[in-house]
Coordinates of all heavy atoms in Angstrom, one line a residue:
S1 N 5.6 11.7 15.0 CA 6.8 12.2 14.4 C 6.7 13.5 13.7 O 7.6 14.0 13.0 CB 7.4 11.2 13.5 OG 7.7 10.0 14.2
G2 N 5.5 14.1 13.7 CA 5.3 15.4 13.1 C 4.6 15.4 11.7 O 4.5 16.4 11.1
Y3 N 4.3 14.2 11.2 CA 3.6 14.1 9.9 C 2.1 14.3 10.0 O 1.6 14.0 11.1 CB 4.0 12.8 9.2 CG 5.4 12.7 8.8 CD1 6.3 11.9 9.6 CD2 5.9 13.3 7.7 CE1 7.6 11.8 9.2 CE2 7.2 13.3 7.3 CZ 8.1 12.5 8.1 OH 9.4 12.4 7.7
D4 N 1.5 14.7 9.0 CA 0.1 14.8 8.9 C -0.3 13.9 7.7 O -0.5 14.4 6.6 CB -0.4 16.2 8.6 CG -1.9 16.4 8.6 OD1 -2.6 15.5 9.1 OD2 -2.4 17.4 8.1
P5 N -0.4 12.6 8.0 CA -0.6 11.7 6.8 C -2.0 11.6 6.3 O -3.0 11.6 7.1 CB -0.2 10.3 7.5 CG -0.4 10.5 8.9 CD -0.2 11.9 9.2
E6 N -2.1 11.6 5.0 CA -3.3 11.3 4.3 C -3.0 9.8 3.9 O -2.0 9.6 3.2 CB -3.5 12.1 3.1 CG -4.6 11.8 2.2 CD -4.6 12.7 0.9 OE1 -4.4 13.9 1.1 OE2 -4.8 12.1 -0.2
W7 N -3.8 8.9 4.3 CA -3.4 7.5 4.1 C -4.6 6.6 3.6 O -5.8 7.0 3.8 CB -2.8 6.9 5.4 CG -3.8 6.9 6.6 CD1 -4.1 8.0 7.3 CD2 -4.4 5.8 7.1 NE1 -5.0 7.6 8.3 CE2 -5.2 6.2 8.2 CE3 -4.5 4.4 6.7 CZ2 -6.0 5.4 9.0 CZ3 -5.3 3.5 7.5 CH2 -6.0 4.1 8.6
Q8 N -4.2 5.5 3.0 CA -5.1 4.5 2.6 C -4.5 3.1 2.9 O -3.3 2.9 2.8 CB -5.4 4.7 1.1 CG -6.4 3.7 0.6 CD -6.7 4.0 -0.9 OE1 -6.3 5.0 -1.5 NE2 -7.5 3.1 -1.5
R9 N -5.4 2.2 3.3 CA -4.9 0.9 3.6 C -5.5 -0.1 2.5 O -6.6 0.0 2.2 CB -5.4 0.4 5.0 CG -5.0 -1.0 5.4 CD -5.5 -1.5 6.7 NE -7.0 -1.7 6.6 CZ -7.5 -2.8 6.2 NH1 -6.8 -3.8 5.8 NH2 -8.9 -2.9 6.2
V10 N -4.6 -0.9 2.0 CA -5.0 -2.0 1.1 C -4.3 -3.3 1.5 O -3.4 -3.3 2.3 CB -4.5 -1.7 -0.4 CG1 -5.1 -0.3 -0.9 CG2 -3.0 -1.6 -0.4
D11 N -4.9 -4.4 1.0 CA -4.3 -5.7 1.4 C -4.3 -6.7 0.3 O -4.1 -7.9 0.5 CB -5.0 -6.3 2.7 CG -6.4 -6.6 2.5 OD1 -7.0 -6.4 1.5 OD2 -7.0 -7.1 3.5
T12 N -4.6 -6.2 -0.9 CA -4.6 -7.1 -2.1 C -3.7 -6.5 -3.2 O -3.6 -5.3 -3.2 CB -6.0 -7.4 -2.7 OG1 -6.5 -6.2 -3.2 CG2 -6.9 -8.0 -1.6
R13 N -3.2 -7.3 -4.1 CA -2.5 -6.8 -5.2 C -3.3 -5.9 -6.1 O -2.8 -4.8 -6.5 CB -1.9 -8.0 -6.0 CG -1.1 -7.6 -7.2 CD -0.8 -8.8 -8.1 NE -0.1 -8.4 -9.3 CZ 1.3 -8.5 -9.4 NH1 2.0 -8.9 -8.4 NH2 1.8 -8.1 -10.5
A14 N -4.5 -6.2 -6.3 CA -5.4 -5.4 -7.2 C -5.6 -4.0 -6.6 O -5.5 -3.0 -7.3 CB -6.8 -6.1 -7.4
E15 N -5.9 -3.9 -5.3 CA -6.1 -2.6 -4.7 C -4.8 -1.8 -4.7 O -4.8 -0.6 -5.0 CB -6.5 -2.8 -3.2 CG -7.9 -3.4 -3.0 CD -8.1 -3.7 -1.5 OE1 -7.2 -4.2 -0.8 OE2 -9.3 -3.5 -1.1
F16 N -3.7 -2.5 -4.5 CA -2.3 -1.9 -4.4 C -2.0 -1.3 -5.8 O -1.6 -0.1 -5.9 CB -1.3 -2.9 -4.0 CG 0.1 -2.4 -3.9 CD1 0.5 -1.5 -2.9 CD2 1.1 -2.7 -4.9 CE1 1.8 -1.0 -2.8 CE2 2.3 -2.2 -4.8 CZ 2.7 -1.3 -3.8
M17 N -2.2 -2.1 -6.9 CA -1.9 -1.6 -8.2 C -2.8 -0.4 -8.6 O -2.3 0.5 -9.2 CB -2.0 -2.8 -9.2 CG -1.0 -3.8 -9.1 SD 0.7 -3.2 -9.2 CE 0.7 -2.6 -10.9
N18 N -4.1 -0.5 -8.2 CA -5.0 0.6 -8.5 C -4.5 1.9 -7.9 O -4.5 2.9 -8.5 CB -6.4 0.2 -8.0 CG -7.4 1.3 -8.3 OD1 -7.4 1.8 -9.5 ND2 -8.3 1.5 -7.4
C19 N -4.0 1.8 -6.6 CA -3.5 3.0 -6.0 C -2.3 3.5 -6.6 O -2.1 4.8 -6.8 CB -3.2 2.7 -4.5 SG -4.7 2.5 -3.5
L20 N -1.4 2.7 -7.1 CA -0.2 3.1 -7.7 C -0.5 3.8 -9.0 O 0.1 4.8 -9.4 CB 0.8 1.9 -8.0 CG 1.5 1.2 -6.9 CD1 2.4 0.1 -7.4 CD2 2.2 2.2 -6.0
V21 N -1.5 3.3 -9.7 CA -1.8 3.9 -11.1 C -2.6 5.2 -10.9 O -2.4 6.2 -11.5 CB -2.6 2.9 -11.9 CG1 -3.2 3.5 -13.1 CG2 -1.7 1.7 -12.3
R22 N -3.6 5.1 -10.0 CA -4.5 6.3 -9.8 C -3.9 7.5 -9.1 O -4.1 8.6 -9.6 CB -5.8 5.8 -9.0 CG -6.8 6.8 -8.8 CD -8.1 6.2 -8.1 NE -7.7 5.1 -7.1 CZ -7.6 5.4 -5.8 NH1 -7.7 6.5 -5.3 NH2 -7.3 4.3 -5.0
D23 N -3.2 7.2 -8.0 CA -2.6 8.3 -7.2 C -1.4 7.8 -6.4 O -1.6 7.4 -5.2 CB -3.7 8.8 -6.2 CG -3.3 10.1 -5.5 OD1 -2.4 10.8 -6.0 OD2 -3.8 10.3 -4.4
P24 N -0.3 7.8 -7.1 CA 0.9 7.3 -6.4 C 1.2 8.1 -5.1 O 1.1 9.3 -5.1 CB 2.0 7.5 -7.4 CG 1.4 7.6 -8.7 CD 0.1 8.2 -8.4
P25 N 1.5 7.3 -4.0 CA 1.7 7.9 -2.7 C 3.2 8.5 -2.6 O 4.0 8.2 -3.5 CB 1.5 6.8 -1.7 CG 2.0 5.6 -2.5 CD 1.5 5.9 -3.9
D26 N 3.5 9.2 -1.6 CA 4.8 9.7 -1.2 C 5.7 8.5 -0.7 O 6.9 8.5 -0.9 CB 4.8 10.8 -0.2 CG 4.0 12.0 -0.7 OD1 4.2 12.4 -1.9 OD2 3.3 12.6 0.1
I27 N 5.0 7.6 0.0 CA 5.7 6.5 0.7 C 4.8 5.3 0.8 O 3.6 5.5 0.9 CB 6.4 6.9 2.0 CG1 7.4 5.9 2.4 CG2 5.3 7.2 3.1 CD1 8.4 6.5 3.4
I28 N 5.4 4.2 0.8 CA 4.6 2.9 1.0 C 5.2 2.3 2.3 O 6.4 2.1 2.4 CB 4.8 1.9 -0.2 CG1 4.2 2.6 -1.4 CG2 4.1 0.6 0.1 CD1 4.6 1.9 -2.7
I29 N 4.2 1.9 3.2 CA 4.6 1.1 4.4 C 3.8 -0.2 4.2 O 2.6 -0.3 4.1 CB 4.1 1.8 5.6 CG1 4.9 3.2 5.7 CG2 4.4 1.0 6.9 CD1 4.4 4.1 6.8
S30 N 4.6 -1.3 4.2 CA 4.0 -2.6 3.9 C 4.3 -3.7 5.0 O 5.5 -3.8 5.4 CB 4.5 -3.1 2.6 OG 4.0 -4.4 2.3
D31 N 3.3 -4.3 5.4 CA 3.4 -5.5 6.3 C 4.2 -6.5 5.5 O 4.0 -6.6 4.2 CB 2.0 -6.1 6.7 CG 2.1 -7.1 7.7 OD1 3.2 -7.5 8.2 OD2 1.0 -7.7 8.0
H32 N 4.9 -7.4 6.1 CA 5.7 -8.3 5.3 C 4.9 -9.5 4.8 O 5.0 -9.9 3.7 CB 6.9 -8.8 6.2 CG 7.8 -9.7 5.5 ND1 8.4 -9.4 4.3 CD2 8.3 -11.0 5.8 CE1 9.1 -10.4 3.9 NE2 9.1 -11.4 4.8
V33 N 4.1 -10.1 5.7 CA 3.4 -11.3 5.3 C 1.9 -11.1 5.6 O 1.5 -10.7 6.7 CB 3.8 -12.5 6.1 CG1 3.1 -13.7 5.7 CG2 5.3 -12.8 5.8
M34 N 1.1 -11.3 4.6 CA -0.4 -11.2 4.7 C -1.0 -12.4 4.0 O -0.3 -13.0 3.2 CB -0.9 -9.9 4.1 CG -0.3 -8.6 4.8 SD -0.7 -7.1 3.9 CE 0.4 -7.3 2.5
P35 N -2.2 -12.7 4.3 CA -2.9 -13.9 3.6 C -2.9 -13.8 2.1 O -2.7 -14.8 1.4 CB -4.3 -13.9 4.2 CG -4.2 -13.1 5.5 CD -3.1 -12.1 5.3
Q36 N -3.1 -12.6 1.5 CA -3.3 -12.5 0.1 C -2.2 -11.8 -0.6 O -2.2 -11.7 -1.9 CB -4.6 -11.7 -0.2 CG -5.8 -12.4 0.3 CD -7.1 -11.6 0.1 OE1 -7.2 -11.1 -1.1 NE2 -8.0 -11.5 1.0
F37 N -1.2 -11.2 0.1 CA -0.2 -10.4 -0.5 C 1.0 -10.3 0.4 O 0.9 -10.7 1.6 CB -0.8 -9.0 -0.7 CG -0.2 -8.1 -1.7 CD1 0.2 -8.6 -3.0 CD2 -0.1 -6.7 -1.5 CE1 0.8 -7.7 -3.9 CE2 0.4 -5.9 -2.4 CZ 0.9 -6.3 -3.6
S38 N 2.2 -10.0 -0.2 CA 3.4 -9.8 0.7 C 4.2 -8.6 0.3 O 4.0 -8.0 -0.7 CB 4.3 -11.1 0.5 OG 4.9 -11.1 -0.7
S39 N 5.1 -8.2 1.2 CA 5.9 -7.0 0.9 C 6.8 -7.3 -0.3 O 7.0 -6.4 -1.1 CB 6.7 -6.7 2.1 OG 7.6 -7.7 2.5
A40 N 7.2 -8.5 -0.5 CA 8.1 -8.8 -1.6 C 7.3 -8.7 -2.9 O 7.8 -8.1 -3.9 CB 8.6 -10.2 -1.5
E41 N 6.1 -9.1 -2.9 CA 5.2 -8.9 -4.1 C 4.9 -7.4 -4.4 O 5.0 -7.0 -5.5 CB 3.9 -9.7 -4.0 CG 4.0 -11.2 -4.0 CD 2.7 -11.8 -3.6 OE1 2.3 -11.8 -2.4 OE2 2.1 -12.4 -4.5
A42 N 4.6 -6.7 -3.3 CA 4.4 -5.3 -3.5 C 5.6 -4.5 -4.0 O 5.5 -3.7 -4.9 CB 3.9 -4.7 -2.2
L43 N 6.8 -4.9 -3.4 CA 8.0 -4.3 -3.9 C 8.2 -4.5 -5.4 O 8.6 -3.7 -6.1 CB 9.1 -4.8 -3.0 CG 10.5 -4.0 -3.1 CD1 10.3 -2.6 -2.8 CD2 11.4 -4.7 -2.1

């Protein structure tokens, strides 16, 4: 789609919160259901 993404993948609440605090992204793309975390929790 023409983007040049700089990206990071996380799958736990702790990793997610660390990214939000350390270097907030331009956008978040979240799987809905994962074993340790969910999109509702991330939201």
Side-chain angles (χ1 to χ4, degrees):
S1 296
Y3 291 103
D4 183 17
E6 175 185 316
W7 62 283
Q8 181 172 356
R9 181 183 69 85
V10 299
D11 65 356
T12 66
R13 179 185 177 99
E15 293 171 324
F16 182 73
M17 292 303 296
N18 185 41
C19 288
L20 288 184
V21 170
R22 184 176 33 95
D23 187 25
D26 298 320
I27 196 155
I28 298 166
I29 299 170
S30 178
D31 188 5
H32 183 52
V33 178
M34 297 171 287
Q36 299 180 41
F37 202 37
S38 73
S39 63
E41 290 172 288
L43 193 55

